[in-house]
Amino acid sequence: MAEEKGSAVGEVVHEVRSHSSKGAHVASLEKYKKLHEDSVRDPSGYWGRLARRELKWMHDFDKVKIGSLKNGDLAWFVGGKLNVSENCLDRWVEEGRGDDVAIIWEKDEPGQAVKYTYLEVLHKVCQIANVMRKFGVKKGDPVTLYMPMIPEAAFVMLACARIGAPHSVVFAGFSAEALRARVDDVHSKWIFTADEGLRGGRTIPLKKTVDDAISSCDFVNKCFVFKRTGADVSMTEGRDLWMEPELEGQRPYCPPEVMDAEDPLFYLYTSGSTGKPKGLMHSTAGYILYAQTTCKIIFDLRPGDVYACVADVGWITGHSYIVYGPLANGTTTLMFESTPLYPDAGRYWDVVETHSVTQFYTAPTAIRALMRHGPEPTEKYDLSTLRILGTVGEPINPAAWTWYFKHVGKERCAIIDTYWQTETGGIIVTPLPGATPLKPGSATLPFFGIDLEVLDPQSGKVVPFVEGEESSGVLCVKSAWPSMTRTVFNNHERYMNTYLKPYPGYYFTGDGVTRDKDGFFFVTGRVDDVLNVSGHRIGSAEIESALVAHDAVAESACVGFPHEVKGEGIACYVILKLGNEETDDLIKDLRNQIRSVIGPFASPDYIVITPALPKTRSGKLMRRVLRKIIALEADQLGDTSTLADPSVVDSLIEKVATLRK
Ligand code: WTA
């Protein structure tokens, strides 16, 4: 059971003594500390040993690591050859585990799960790979996926890995315009989609969105379409192809391509503080090793476990912890097509009971949405199989943490608050179940091989850790780890400027952090203009450029503000062009503009029409002032003496007060 004791800084520390600590991969804090120290002292020794033990190589590597963070020229497992799909599938079949369940697909409608064994997944992946080869997809060709949460999404990812074609999965909530930008940037000639998606009882017109997106991309050779709902969709002759008839009769084996350790496994677009989204590149060996190892140790995977991460494969969490991490461990992984509230607030727990889930991984925003429905739904189901409860995507507020711990975990399961990013490829700060004391709101301590440092953003100097003292700064990593992103597609300079040049010699996360007196990390959120809305990353610059593309908009500035369920809400301050007036229709139109350029999930909570924005005399926008105003904290504006026209602030305060009533 849990013991609660007050820590000196006032948070509650939980020491979870559950069956999760008995025989856990890392049994105590002392053991963690020793292993962590060893791993950061000799990263090559640590990762080299693991790479040989945990992965299947076609050819051994010569050197564990070359290059440096300073130069941005890192390479891991140099000279090594392997194939990720072989590591995720063939080796378990070869070990005689072909009949073990690899994927449980929990469909949108409850009670309709479908299970696929490792042998079945291998066959399906090989058949898809053979179709791709038949139509001319080659090693190195980027392939875009715009897929619903159906097992075929994972099959296609693995089929891409099998033939060495890097995938670029685009979350199916993105609009046609956002999809077009991503297809265009990576210049992918191949696209996979489905007729429609199904989520919370509603259909999502995926094929239609793809049609709109690629109508101007004449470099697209083929659009491969899976059937999900059977909807009548339009198919362009010569370009579009139904997959089901193509798969029939395909050989269920396809030899895996021999891939270099550093060959790209995938690109994944993510938002930054400026400009358009970046196609982050992840490598083959380093990525799969890190996904495999973190998944195994952090979720304390054991034979017979049923592991459920309810994210979407369109985000990095889905890549690393629905598909690659669990399958590279031979675990049973669950794919969830629905939402936490469909058909009611008990859906997650119904899934846990039905499939005897042992690890459950979700986002704080989902927990906060469920908290509103009270604990009853968690009491209706048998949750006794659960050992570990993970969260990811944004800081978890202590109230949500405690609710998850009490009502879902019954004070018996470890809450694993995992901090990481699309860039890091896998979890980098996390408690280890059974070893690390838990503090609500803290991702606690670095994973093995991760050497964290807190830097002072003004001086760029290290803020040293002094036991018993709290300190803050920006979170950086001091030495490379295998799954860090290697580059931005077609723009290495941007990669250097964003991550490696701000603090030379360090990887810069873009997050602020407080380290408590025990050295535990509390990530406080982005220090740049990236918003985190319901765990989805959106750049304020992206929303602003969507708005100024509208005829009526002269200028806009978008900021986040604390939101009870979403974590962060979006507020857009907009200056209209002369001759336009604020009307309900115009506001609706502006909202639609953002939905159609980015996607519905980026829909703003507030649009504040204003004649001017708070700028300094030199013309610099004071976002801090805009954030305080929308957060109803105008009493904490700080120094506004540099503003060119201080009266702007008063009129904005007044306007926001009426909007937020
Ligand atoms: C935030 C998601 C606090 C952070 C895997 C980071 C978190 C961004 C946590 C990356 C956490 C993620 N605690 N903040 N446990 N996990 N974040 O790329 O700001 O979608 O930089 O990757 O989410 O979001 P991304």
Side-chain angles (χ1 to χ4, degrees), residues 13 90 159 183 202 270 286 288 325 350 368 396 431 453 458 474 478 483 491 499 510 590 608 630-631 641:
V13 179
D90 306 56
V183 169
R202 295 212 323 253
T270 193
I288 195 64
D350 181 43
R368 288 192 298 264
I396 178 163
E453 202 76 83
Q458 260 79 46
V474 289
K478 203 159 77 178
S483 67
N491 201 343
Y499 307 112
L590 295 180
V608 188
I630 195 70
S641 60

Side-chain angles (χ1 to χ4, degrees), residues 405-425:
F405 182 66
K406 274 205 168 129
H407 297 294
V408 183
K410 317 291 180 200
E411 304 195 356
R412 186 179 52 71
C413 302
I415 302 291
I416 303 297
D417 175 359
T418 63
Y419 166 82
W420 58 298
Q421 314 175 295
T422 309
E423 291 84 345
T424 65

Side-chain angles (χ1 to χ4, degrees), residues 270-271 280 315-317 321 361 364 391-396 416-424 426-427 429 441-443 509-512 522-527 530 532 535-537:
T270 193
S271 296
L280 296 174
W315 307 110
I316 190 71
T317 305
Y321 298 109
Y361 193 22
T391 89
V392 59
E394 47 175 321
I396 178 163
I416 303 297
D417 175 359
T418 63
Y419 166 82
W420 58 298
Q421 314 175 295
T422 309
E423 291 84 345
T424 65
I427 297 162
V429 190
S442 174
T509 61
D511 281 303
F522 290 72
V523 176
T524 47
R526 306 289 308 189
V527 294
V530 172
N532 191 330
H536 297 162
R537 240 170 106 161

Side-chain angles (χ1 to χ4, degrees), residues 268-392:
L268 187 56
Y269 281 82
T270 193
S271 296
S273 51
T274 54
K276 45 182 198 157
K278 308 181 269 280
L280 296 174
M281 190 273 253
H282 279 288
S283 71
T284 295
Y287 172 82
I288 195 64
L289 176 66
Y290 199 81
Q292 182 275 339
T293 301
T294 48
C295 198
K296 174 172 168 177
I297 296 179
I298 296 167
F299 294 100
D300 200 26
L301 295 180
R302 301 177 193 192
D305 278 354
V306 176
Y307 162 98
C309 166
V310 288
D312 191 286
V313 289
W315 307 110
I316 190 71
T317 305
H319 284 59
S320 304
Y321 298 109
I322 295 177
V323 181
Y324 290 117
L327 296 180
N329 281 292
T331 299
T332 300
T333 183
L334 185 134
M335 289 180 74
F336 182 60
E337 191 182 32
S338 197
T339 83
L341 298 173
Y342 184 76
D344 57 45
R347 183 63 190 274
Y348 277 170
W349 323 128
D350 181 43
V351 170
V352 169
E353 180 183 287
T354 306
H355 302 293
S356 304
V357 169
T358 40
Q359 290 89 352
F360 188 80
Y361 193 22
T362 188
T365 187
I367 299 166
R368 288 192 298 264
L370 293 173
M371 279 169 75
R372 294 182 142 191
H373 296 262
E376 292 74 28
T378 62
E379 286 151 15
K380 264 177 54 190
Y381 298 93
D382 177 5
L383 305 181
S384 63
T385 51
L386 286 170
R387 294 203 315 271
I388 288 159
L389 299 174
T391 89
V392 59

Side-chain angles (χ1 to χ4, degrees), residues 9 179 205 392 501 503 508 515 547 623:
V9 277
L179 173 61
V392 59
K501 282 203 174 147
Y503 302 94
F508 172 48
R515 189 170 44 190
L547 282 171
R623 285 181 186 275

